[in-house]
Structure formats: C-alpha cells, structure tokens
C-alpha cells in the first residue's frame, strides 16, 4: 500500500518533493504554495518511517481514530 501511495504522490519518484525534500507521500503538501508547505525529510527512509508511524500505525490502523475503517482501504463497505 505504501509503495502504491508513494508512486502516485511522486509521479513514480519524479516529483520535486521527492527529489528535493525526500517527501515520498506528499505530507503537508497543500494550499497555494505546495513547495513551501510540504514536509522535508533527511532521507527517503525517514519519509517512509514517518508515514508508517504517523499515518498508518497512529491513524489508519488505529481503531480509536476517525480514519480507521477496518481491514479494507477507504470508507466503503
């Protein structure tokens, strides 16, 4: 799943966020100035670790969070 998300978010690793910020998931890339707002990581490994911890383990896989929808992706039954 994470590979698919990163591939989609970075145009298969070719985006400027992936290249200059090691941001493989588009973390904090919003509003009118995406380049200025997006998270910066020291390495691609730290981007992957951050996504796994903060988005998967602490959010999408946590039954106490609103983003949790069971064992399937998305909010569709």
């Amino acid at each position: 799943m994470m590979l698919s998300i990163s591939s989609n978010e970075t145009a298969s690793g070719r985006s400027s966020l992936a290249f200059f910020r090691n941001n493989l998931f588009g973390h904090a890339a919003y509003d009118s100035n995406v380049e200025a707002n997006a998270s910066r990581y020291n390495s691609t490994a730290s981007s992957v670790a951050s996504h796994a911890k903060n988005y998967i383990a602490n959010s999408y896989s946590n039954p106490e969070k609103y983003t949790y929808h069971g064992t399937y992706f998305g909010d569709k039954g």
Side-chain angles (χ1 to χ4, degrees), residues 25-58:
F25 301 94
H27 294 160
Y30 51 83
D31 290 338
S32 60
N33 196 347
V34 169
E35 295 290 332
N37 294 326
S39 299
R40 180 184 304 269
Y41 297 96
N42 292 328
S43 66
T44 55
S46 60
S47 177
V48 170
S50 173
H51 189 78
K53 178 182 178 188
N54 299 314
Y55 291 86
I56 304 299
N58 292 340

Side-chain angles (χ1 to χ4, degrees), residues 6-15 18:
S6 69
S7 180
N8 181 58
E9 289 289 338
T10 65
S12 297
R14 296 182 305 250
S15 75

